[in-house]
């Protein structure tokens, strides 16, 4: 499942948040990146960046009058949020249960702790971001003008990102496993389980999960180096329209639609299911299983 694991994880997170997961968060995804989606892996293949000089010069040559270097056009940073947890629909989150290996005093010092129960026979996904910060393209200004740029034909654009100093992502193995997770500065938790926290007593993730589809990192300096989540929009063709003799002017939402996965429904291993029949409950599966909130959608 190596190639399809990323696509399955991205698909599960999209169903619960309508946002795009980054399977490899250390690879920087920037607001204003544009490109295509690899249908096999679900990964964004970046072709360019709207805020570089080359794109700006191209806009000028195409007669599109906007200066993307102007402060009013630059990406806006939102407030730093509390820890954000995303999980697919069938994952149950609870408190970490006390065991002989992990005592209450050790867990008391953890700034974040949770336990996730996955359903047997089904893939489940969990994404945790430590104090994420959203950055986004200013609304009703940039996208409505660059919509006509030739480079953006049939492309997806990153309209917002969530960066953080620490992330944890996990894709279950269908065994119905129960996974514990904590963010702690105390080495004893890790030591009790025979796991090295890294850097002595410095802050790091601890988990009892042992799986191939587990990725985590924590920057001990608190730098926002990771991009686990972002928004994608796709340019739409707009035909000139009139209503009662008046020209209808499109809104930004008319010109750019939120990106949907370009693949057919997936089976539990991330392969496209050619015999899938969509059911009514599939529409309700988009209800959020997200803790935290999105200031901008």
């Amino acid at each position: 499942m190596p190639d399809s694991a990323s696509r399955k994880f991205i698909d599960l997170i999209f169903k619960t948040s309508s946002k795009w997961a980054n399977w490899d968060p250390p690879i920087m995804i920037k607001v204003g990146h544009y490109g295509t989606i690899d249908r096999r892996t679900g990964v964004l293949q970046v072709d360019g960046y709207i805020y570089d000089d080359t794109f700006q010069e191209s806009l000028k040559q195409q007669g599109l009058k906007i200066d993307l270097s102007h402060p009013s056009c630059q990406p806006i940073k939102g407030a730093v949020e509390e820890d954000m947890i995303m999980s697919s629909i069938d994952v149950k989150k609870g408190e970490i249960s006390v065991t002989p290996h992990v005592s209450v005093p050790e867990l008391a010092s953890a700034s974040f702790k949770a336990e996730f129960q996955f359903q047997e026979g089904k893939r489940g996904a969990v994404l945790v971001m430590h104090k994420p910060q959203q950055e986004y393209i200013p609304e009703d200004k940039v996208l409505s003008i660059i919509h006509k740029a030739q480079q953006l034909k049939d492309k997806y654009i990153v309209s917002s990102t969530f960066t953080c100093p620490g992330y944890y992502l996990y894709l279950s193995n269908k065994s119905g496993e129960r996974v514990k997770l904590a963010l702690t500065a105390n080495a004893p938790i890790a030591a009790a389980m025979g796991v090295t926290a890294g850097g002595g007593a410095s802050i790091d993730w601890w988990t009892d999960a042992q799986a191939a589809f587990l990725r985590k990192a924590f920057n001990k300096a608190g730098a926002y180096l990771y991009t686990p989540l972002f928004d994608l929009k796709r340019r739409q063709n707009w035909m000139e329209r009139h209503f009662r003799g008046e020209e209808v002017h499109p809104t930004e939402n008319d010109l750019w639609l939120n990106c949907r996965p370009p693949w057919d429904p997936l089976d539990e291993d991330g392969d496209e299911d050619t015999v899938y029949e969509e059911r009514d409950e599939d529409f309700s599966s988009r209800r959020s299983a997200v803790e935290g909130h999105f200031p901008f959608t």
Side-chain angles (χ1 to χ4, degrees):
M1 187 187 175
D3 288 338
S4 56
S6 59
R7 184 169 65 175
K8 184 62 177 178
F9 182 84
I10 290 167
D11 191 74
L12 288 171
I13 294 298
F14 182 86
K15 285 180 178 179
T16 200
S17 69
S18 297
K19 298 184 185 297
W20 214 261
N22 183 4
W23 180 244
D24 198 359
I27 295 179
M28 183 63 69
I29 301 292
K30 299 173 68 173
V31 172
H33 271 157
Y34 62 89
T36 57
I37 295 170
D38 185 329
R39 180 168 178 155
R40 182 176 56 87
T41 64
V43 174
L44 176 69
Q45 305 293 324
V46 176
D47 294 331
Y49 181 51
I50 69 170
Y51 289 106
D52 65 21
D53 293 339
T54 301
F55 190 86
Q56 179 65 61
E57 180 61 28
S58 176
L59 292 178
K60 185 185 299 183
Q61 293 176 0
Q62 296 175 64
L64 299 176
K65 297 180 179 180
I66 185 172
D67 180 6
L68 293 178
S69 66
H70 192 276
S72 65
C73 298
Q74 289 289 298
I76 298 172
K77 288 188 177 183
V80 173
E81 302 291 322
E82 294 299 317
D83 292 348
M84 188 177 292
I85 307 170
M86 293 186 176
S87 59
S88 52
I89 299 302
D90 297 312
V91 178
K92 295 182 179 180
K93 173 183 171 293
E95 298 295 324
I96 290 182
S97 56
V98 178
T99 69
H101 298 290
V102 183
S103 66
V104 174
E106 290 167 342
L107 290 175
S109 63
S111 61
F112 170 91
K113 50 183 178 289
E115 185 171 286
F116 302 98
Q117 176 65 61
F118 295 89
Q119 185 173 332
E120 187 173 358
K122 298 191 69 175
R123 298 282 179 186
V126 168
L127 170 62
V128 180
M129 293 180 286
H130 177 63
K131 297 190 179 301
Q133 183 176 36
Q134 187 181 20
E135 188 173 18
Y136 55 95
I137 294 175
E139 296 180 334
D140 301 321
K141 184 176 180 67
V142 174
L143 292 179
S144 59
I145 296 178
I146 68 172
H147 171 264
K148 296 180 180 179
Q150 296 173 359
Q151 302 97 310
L152 300 181
K153 182 180 180 181
D154 297 326
K155 303 294 184 182
Y156 299 90
I157 191 168
V158 178
S159 58
S160 78
T161 61
F162 289 82
T163 58
C164 61
Y167 72 90
Y168 172 98
L169 63 84
Y170 181 80
L171 180 66
S172 71
N173 59 19
K174 301 191 294 184
S175 67
E177 67 267 41
R178 186 186 298 269
V179 173
K180 298 179 177 64
L181 174 66
L183 182 62
T184 177
N186 285 348
I189 294 182
M193 296 295 291
V195 179
T196 301
S202 60
I203 298 176
D204 207 345
W205 296 109
W206 166 83
T207 182
D208 63 352
Q210 301 292 329
F213 305 124
L214 163 65
R215 299 185 174 195
K216 60 186 176 72
F218 193 92
N219 182 267
K220 296 170 177 59
Y224 279 64
L225 300 181
Y226 311 116
T227 313
L229 197 70
F230 55 97
D231 276 302
L232 279 180
K233 292 183 179 293
R234 186 168 189 179
R235 187 176 81 168
Q236 301 298 301
N237 294 324
W238 178 263
M239 301 294 292
E240 185 175 316
R241 304 173 188 179
H242 292 80
F243 179 73
R244 294 181 180 178
E246 297 291 332
E247 184 179 352
V248 177
H249 295 285
T251 66
E252 192 173 279
N253 289 334
D254 293 325
L255 299 174
W256 296 90
L257 298 183
N258 289 333
C259 172
R260 296 184 62 83
W263 47 77
D264 292 330
L266 305 179
D267 63 18
E268 294 304 321
D269 290 324
D271 297 319
E272 294 187 65
D273 190 348
T274 57
V275 298
Y276 175 91
E277 293 183 5
E278 195 162 35
R279 303 162 296 176
D280 290 341
E281 56 263 35
D282 292 318
F283 290 101
S284 64
S285 70
R286 299 179 67 72
R287 62 185 174 83
S288 178
V290 179
E291 295 190 15
H293 66 280
F294 300 116
F296 299 93
T297 58

